[in-house]
Amino acid sequence: VEVWNEEWDSSSNNDAAVQLWYQWLNQGYHIYASVGTDIHGASDKTLGFNVVYAAARTEMAILDAVKQGHHYLSSEPQIELTGVSSAGYGGMMGDSLHGDTYTISAQWDKCRAGDVIRFVVDGQVVDELDAQAQSSKTWDLSDNLWCVIEIRDSNHHMRALTNPIFME
């Protein structure tokens, strides 16, 4: 589902789209987010793009990775989100982990002064960090449905957003 269109503070209702997506995730849907734009040609605006973790640089590998949710949305920051369960299952954004407890790890780079890392679990911000003061963090979870990482600027505009890791 497209949750980010054009620049973040455009008339595209991006914040409302993210909140609706979070509601669907809380209802148990495994839906992956994407970014898009209708701008044709050069632009001086800061636009989002999809960063895909594909097995190869082929059309099929890229499409397979998008179908699996192995991508994140960004306007510049780089981010990794991985997890491992107590049952030994490991994965990245888009994957489902099976177990009783989960260790979730994030690493980020290319953040600006004022950027904030927000760890969102089941639609609620459970931790918020200065992105430049730290570049990685690990959290322990149990009894949750999903988690994502948001990177927002000092105006609360989205700069990066991962797809979820699901916990089952």
Side-chain angles (χ1 to χ4, degrees), residues 4-71:
W4 184 344
N5 187 281
E6 297 184 6
E7 66 273 10
W8 184 258
D9 62 346
S10 70
S11 61
S12 293
N13 296 314
N14 293 319
D15 265 318
V18 169
Q19 292 308 310
L20 179 60
W21 177 53
Y22 286 174
Q23 288 175 20
W24 291 337
L25 294 173
N26 281 337
Q27 292 171 11
Y29 295 103
H30 287 208
I31 302 171
Y32 305 118
S34 67
V35 64
T37 182
D38 296 327
I39 294 175
H40 303 272
S43 174
D44 61 349
K45 299 176 180 179
T46 302
L47 303 173
F49 50 88
N50 296 292
V51 179
V52 181
Y53 289 92
R57 288 185 177 198
T58 65
E59 180 180 345
M60 202 54 140
I62 292 168
L63 290 173
D64 284 344
V66 170
K67 287 178 191 175
Q68 295 172 33
H70 291 174
H71 64 283

Side-chain angles (χ1 to χ4, degrees), residues 60-124:
M60 202 54 140
I62 292 168
L63 290 173
D64 284 344
V66 170
K67 287 178 191 175
Q68 295 172 33
H70 291 174
H71 64 283
Y72 65 94
L73 295 51
S74 181
S75 63
E76 179 184 11
Q78 297 175 339
I79 190 163
E80 291 182 28
L81 182 64
T82 59
V84 64
S85 74
S86 58
Y89 293 94
M92 67 180 307
M93 57 195 94
D95 291 336
S96 294
L97 306 178
H98 303 278
D100 296 323
T101 59
Y102 311 90
T103 300
I104 306 298
S105 300
Q107 296 180 333
W108 54 89
D109 195 11
K110 297 195 177 182
C111 294
R112 297 180 185 160
D115 284 354
V116 174
I117 303 297
R118 294 172 44 156
F119 185 52
V120 178
V121 179
D122 298 344
Q124 302 298 314

